[in-house]
Amino acid sequence: MKIAIIAGSHRHESESERVARYVEGQLRGLGVEQTYLLRLADNPLPLWDEGVWEDDPKWEAVWGPIAAELRGADGVVVVCPEWSGMAPAGLKNLFLLCGGDVLAHKPGLIVAVSAAVGGAYPVAELRMSSYKNTRICYVPDHVIVRNVGRMLHGDQPADERDAKLRARLTYSLRVLLEYA
């Protein structure tokens, strides 16, 4: 089984990427043989244009390898930071590029990341708009990592909240794997 993990922040060395790497470790601990981590750090994908539909060589070089990895995945974890109550533009751009053949009918788990006590808005935004043309099938669960700077560091929980978050994340990853 192969699970793709999308670290949806454009920021270099972001908390979202750290959480994505934690998720990757948890998946391996749950017996997933293969993972693919897509980092949107430094916004590596150009903004969508019609060339995507016209086999433009520019798009084949940049998007082709990523699309192939995502197509080959059995499920997807989307780690999405909350930026001013929204999903980052680069992550939304990625979903525009996916069209209807890259993520179609794959189970997806949303893991939202907030520096404080937010995180619900990106979950709602992704559920509302990112599935339409991609046909990704989000599982009923989602996870919100609030106060991310204090969570998911090292092998041992820092406190009771961290322990509960880890348990919730493991449960939700198992749900994703059952769907996959």
Side-chain angles (χ1 to χ4, degrees):
M1 180 176 301
K2 178 179 176 181
I3 302 295
I5 306 156
I6 301 168
S9 176
H10 311 183
R11 293 179 60 215
H12 187 67
E13 296 182 29
S14 69
E15 290 288 355
S16 296
E17 183 178 337
R18 183 179 63 77
V19 170
R21 291 188 185 282
Y22 179 86
V23 165
E24 185 175 38
Q26 292 303 108
L27 287 167
R28 294 218 173 120
L30 292 170
V32 173
E33 299 107 23
Q34 190 177 5
T35 58
Y36 168 66
L37 177 60
L38 173 59
R39 300 172 56 248
L40 296 183
D42 302 320
N43 205 17
L45 295 169
L47 289 178
W48 179 95
D49 66 41
E50 293 85 359
V52 172
W53 293 342
E54 298 164 358
D55 298 324
D56 183 327
K58 166 188 85 171
W59 282 108
E60 186 53 38
V62 174
W63 176 241
I66 294 169
E69 289 283 354
L70 294 174
R71 270 188 205 98
D74 299 298
V76 181
V77 178
V78 180
V79 180
C80 179
E82 182 176 59
W83 287 3
S84 297
M86 298 178 281
L91 182 57
K92 299 290 284 190
N93 186 56
L94 172 79
F95 284 114
L96 289 172
L97 294 170
C98 285
D101 67 332
V102 176
L103 299 175
H105 310 291
K106 294 181 191 309
L109 173 66
I110 298 170
V111 178
V113 174
S114 176
V117 296
Y121 288 124
V123 173
E125 182 178 354
L126 291 175
R127 286 190 185 279
M128 179 175 53
S129 64
S130 67
Y131 80 93
K132 181 188 176 288
N133 289 333
T134 66
R135 297 182 182 91
I136 190 170
C137 296
Y138 288 118
V139 300
D141 278 355
H142 62 266
V143 177
I144 301 174
V145 182
R146 293 184 167 112
N147 298 304
V148 66
R150 299 194 310 247
M151 301 296 179
L152 307 176
H153 289 280
D155 294 333
Q156 298 301 315
D159 56 27
E160 185 179 345
R161 287 182 181 165
D162 192 19
K164 287 181 178 180
L165 173 64
R166 289 168 189 246
R168 168 67 189 219
L169 184 55
T170 299
Y171 172 82
S172 296
L173 289 171
R174 285 187 173 144
V175 168
L176 175 72
L177 295 177
E178 284 298 315
Y179 276 82

